[in-house]
Amino acid sequence: MRDLFIYNTLTRSKELFKPLNAPHVGMYVCGPTVYGDAHLGHARPAITFDILYRYLTHLGYKVRYVRNITDVGHLEHDADEGEDKIAKKARLEQLEPMEVVQHFTNRYHRDMEALNVLPPSIEPHASGHIIEQIQFVKKILDKGYAYESNGSIYFDVEKYAKDFHYGKLSGRNLEDIVTETRELDGQAEKKHSYDFALWKKAAPEHIMHWPSPWSEGFPGWHMECSAMGTKYLGEQFDIHGGGMDLMFPHHEAEIAQSCAALGHDSVHYWMHNNMITIAGKKMGKSYNNFITLEQFYTGQHPLLSKPFSGMVIRFFILQAHYRSTVDFSSEALEAAEKGLQRINEAYARLLKIQPAAASTIDVKGLRERCEEAMSDDLQSATVISHLFDSAKAINTVADGKATLTKEDLDELKDAWKTFAIDILGLRLEADNAAAAGQNVEAYKGAVDMLLNMRLEAKRNKDFATSDKIRNELTALGFSIKDGKDSFEWSL
Ligand code: ZN
């Protein structure tokens, strides 16, 4: 298997990836909190870890990819006070919280499908793992790194910091953390402002709560990832990913929870994607530059000149390395759209080139160069530049200025399919056309099958079934002409 180097945020260095249990790889990525539509900021981690998932699979690993749905415990201010984001939405719109969760989960899936982000192997909900979270809290309590206060359980950061390094992932020390959290002080139940909740007693108006040994309440946000990560991937697993904004406090807290409960960190490689800014500014509702993916797809936002497809957004994000910042503007997306168009056209032309007796141009080595780039901490931008170079060569051949043998053509087609379509996950139009062709065949086959079943029913004098099939197909817009023991149909 080819060597893969990935940047481990914990050691701040590129490391040779060595899975614990090759060829199996366990990978956990923090998913969305489903209380609103996914926006551009959700697209980046989804795409980053999608290409990692695709590339690991390409290298021959069997990846168990867990990406959670946060549907409880993520509070409005990210501190331990404030209202649960989903409960608040449910209260304001007079919905059952699970209606909110289902609604935005469905929309998240639709948005991810438009970005061609593959579904994870397991997509666990925090609300479906309350028992596991309570057990995890119990372990931490048993080890003495948490305390109860008024029915809530808090992580004892000071006690923990005596035995372990709190802040090792984000590079913070306790003094920095004290300064950062002082603003949020006034949380009378805690020993220290930096202690975080593992379990919160629910206030009477809080609509999402479960029984526990300590109170009727709900788990703290950080707890779900520790509990679900170890449930599905084991007490030690390979990769944990997420956006850089989750490094502190979320991932730092996860490390602390694991070390406190298990005596060691669960994760071998911590990976973080950088953020997307909009005209140099952080994205957020308060900045008025918050663009949902749906707004991109429809073009309905003042910052957008026109609609942009999921593929253009994907291509735009992949044009930068995942650890660099990306600054969004409508112009930058338009440029990405043109770039993607060049890739699309070259691929479509490649599929039409006729082989010749000799190659008069060197197109060898594309696969190796792309693999080298991906194996160096997922340099997707370099893969794209190799594809652009290859597109030039393809255009030269397609214009009749050079020729390629069948062998060279086949290798080139295969390298494009592997890297552009399978690994970068670009839905190229020529590829779409082939898929659409297959869809048409499948649908014709299905209609023929139904009408043959109807014929069979008529032969058996089962007129109820025969009429039902005809009526339902007619209602769908098909017109059916019956012959003597035969049929014709059209739409
Ligand atoms: Zn998480």
Side-chain angles (χ1 to χ4, degrees):
M1 221 173 267
R2 192 185 175 103
D3 281 353
L4 168 65
F5 289 85
I6 50 178
Y7 186 86
N8 190 344
T9 318
L10 191 64
T11 59
R12 291 165 183 75
S13 61
K14 251 186 239 176
E15 291 179 17
L16 175 63
F17 177 61
K18 280 191 236 153
L20 285 158
N21 184 27
H24 300 277
V25 170
M27 168 167 147
Y28 188 97
V29 173
C30 293
T33 303
V34 282
Y35 71 105
D37 274 339
H39 54 77
L40 192 57
H42 288 99
R44 199 164 190 203
I47 290 169
T48 298
F49 295 101
D50 185 56
I51 64 163
L52 176 60
Y53 179 35
R54 287 166 180 266
Y55 192 57
L56 287 167
T57 308
H58 164 78
L59 291 178
Y61 292 111
K62 297 187 189 319
V63 188
R64 183 181 296 164
Y65 176 17
V66 181
R67 188 185 67 207
N68 67 303
I69 295 281
T70 296
D71 59 358
V72 65
H74 196 168
L75 304 185
E76 202 51 50
H77 307 293
D78 286 358
D80 298 316
E81 302 297 323
E83 193 172 5
D84 182 285
K85 290 181 179 183
I86 287 151
K88 183 179 177 188
K89 186 96 181 170
R91 179 174 60 75
L92 292 177
E93 302 192 0
Q94 295 191 317
L95 295 167
E96 160 65 31
M98 281 301 134
E99 274 184 287
V100 175
V101 168
Q102 191 65 57
H103 176 77
F104 288 110
T105 303
N106 293 346
R107 289 171 73 88
Y108 180 74
H109 288 158
R110 179 207 58 182
D111 289 343
M112 291 302 113
E113 158 65 22
L115 295 171
N116 204 18
V117 165
L118 298 174
S121 334
I122 305 177
E123 191 173 50
H125 285 237
S127 65
H129 296 76
I130 301 295
I131 292 168
E132 288 82 352
Q133 297 184 70
I134 290 173
Q135 282 169 342
F136 214 102
V137 175
K138 275 187 188 163
K139 275 190 201 160
I140 299 174
L141 271 171
D142 287 348
K143 297 278 168 75
Y145 294 108
Y147 57 90
E148 183 175 351
S149 177
N150 189 29
S152 293
I153 307 292
Y154 293 99
F155 193 85
D156 191 339
V157 170
E158 194 174 76
K159 170 94 192 291
Y160 174 81
K162 286 188 181 129
D163 301 333
F164 298 92
H165 181 178
Y166 186 70
K168 65 178 179 178
L169 180 69
S170 57
R172 284 167 167 80
N173 57 38
L174 265 190
E175 291 85 75
D176 296 341
I177 296 167
V178 173
T179 323
E180 272 181 52
T181 48
R182 193 163 288 155
E183 300 287 307
L184 305 164
D185 215 341
Q187 303 156 10
E189 292 176 352
K190 299 186 195 176
K191 286 190 196 164
H192 294 285
S193 60
Y194 45 59
D195 292 348
F196 54 89
L198 302 177
W199 184 264
K200 281 288 282 180
K201 181 179 172 178
E205 67 276 14
H206 198 102
I207 47 181
M208 296 169 86
H209 50 82
W210 291 264
S212 80
W214 317 290
S215 63
E216 187 76 18
F218 55 93
W221 172 37
H222 316 309
M223 186 42 69
E224 64 180 272
C225 294
S226 291
M228 298 191 292
T230 53
K231 177 178 169 94
Y232 294 112
L233 300 172
E235 289 193 356
Q236 285 192 299
F237 59 88
D238 298 300
I239 299 170
H240 192 316
M244 242 172 68
D245 53 337
L246 294 180
M247 220 147 64
F248 188 87
H250 186 53
H251 292 160
E252 202 73 74
E254 270 188 56
I255 293 176
Q257 290 168 163
S258 292
C259 291
L262 313 167
H264 56 79
D265 190 0
S266 296
V267 177
H268 279 211
Y269 303 88
W270 281 94
M271 293 178 75
H272 293 92
N273 63 273
N274 212 319
M275 300 288 101
I276 297 184
T277 53
I278 295 189
K281 274 194 201 142
K282 199 179 165 219
M283 220 177 351
K285 278 185 177 140
S286 51
Y287 296 99
N288 213 18
N289 62 2
F290 192 81
I291 312 175
T292 66
L293 291 172
E294 185 172 35
Q295 286 169 328
F296 279 101
Y297 305 155
T298 59
Q300 301 295 312
H301 192 282
L303 289 174
L304 297 173
S305 57
K306 59 192 273 303
F308 292 99
S309 71
M311 268 316 96
V312 172
I313 295 171
R314 185 174 179 107
F315 190 73
F316 167 70
I317 287 174
L318 291 176
Q319 275 183 311
H321 185 243
Y322 75 92
R323 285 191 287 116
S324 352
T325 53
V326 165
D327 193 45
F328 157 82
S329 66
S330 206
E331 297 74 49
L333 266 193
E334 281 175 42
E337 190 167 41
K338 288 202 182 96
L340 181 60
Q341 190 56 32
R342 271 163 62 205
I343 295 283
N344 249 321
E345 282 165 7
Y347 184 64
R349 296 188 88 185
L350 171 62
L351 297 184
K352 288 189 200 132
I353 293 173
Q354 293 301 315
S359 290
T360 60
I361 187 172
D362 186 10
V363 293
K364 289 187 172 60
L366 176 64
R367 176 189 307 276
E368 290 71 21
R369 284 193 290 276
C370 290
E371 210 161 68
E372 197 179 315
M374 283 301 289
S375 289
D376 179 17
D377 195 31
L378 314 176
Q379 302 278 353
S380 56
T382 308
V383 174
I384 290 174
S385 78
H386 292 326
L387 290 175
F388 277 135
D389 288 345
S390 179
K392 275 186 215 148
I394 289 167
N395 288 332
T396 311
V397 179
D399 290 342
K401 292 172 191 153
T403 58
L404 290 172
T405 60
K406 183 170 187 307
E407 194 190 357
D408 277 349
L409 264 177
D410 286 348
E411 167 57 22
L412 199 56
K413 283 180 201 168
D414 198 55
W416 269 73
K417 167 145 193 332
T418 303
F419 283 90
I421 296 171
D422 297 344
I423 294 171
L424 293 187
L426 302 174
R427 285 189 184 119
L428 298 185
E429 269 156 28
D431 183 52
N432 286 350
Q438 283 170 5
N439 289 344
V440 170
E441 287 311 306
Y443 130 82
K444 280 184 183 162
V447 177
D448 283 343
M449 183 186 74
L450 278 169
L451 288 172
N452 276 316
M453 284 166 72
R454 175 166 176 259
L455 219 50
E456 187 77 35
K458 277 207 291 192
R459 283 189 204 117
N460 297 333
K461 311 239 180 300
D462 176 4
F463 297 112
T465 304
S466 150
D467 289 350
K468 183 171 160 50
I469 294 175
R470 187 197 56 217
N471 293 344
E472 295 200 359
L473 284 174
T474 308
L476 289 169
F478 289 89
S479 91
I480 299 157
K481 256 198 250 167
D482 287 319
K484 200 174 185 283
D485 212 36
S486 69
F487 58 81
E488 276 178 54
W489 64 268
S490 60
L491 186 61

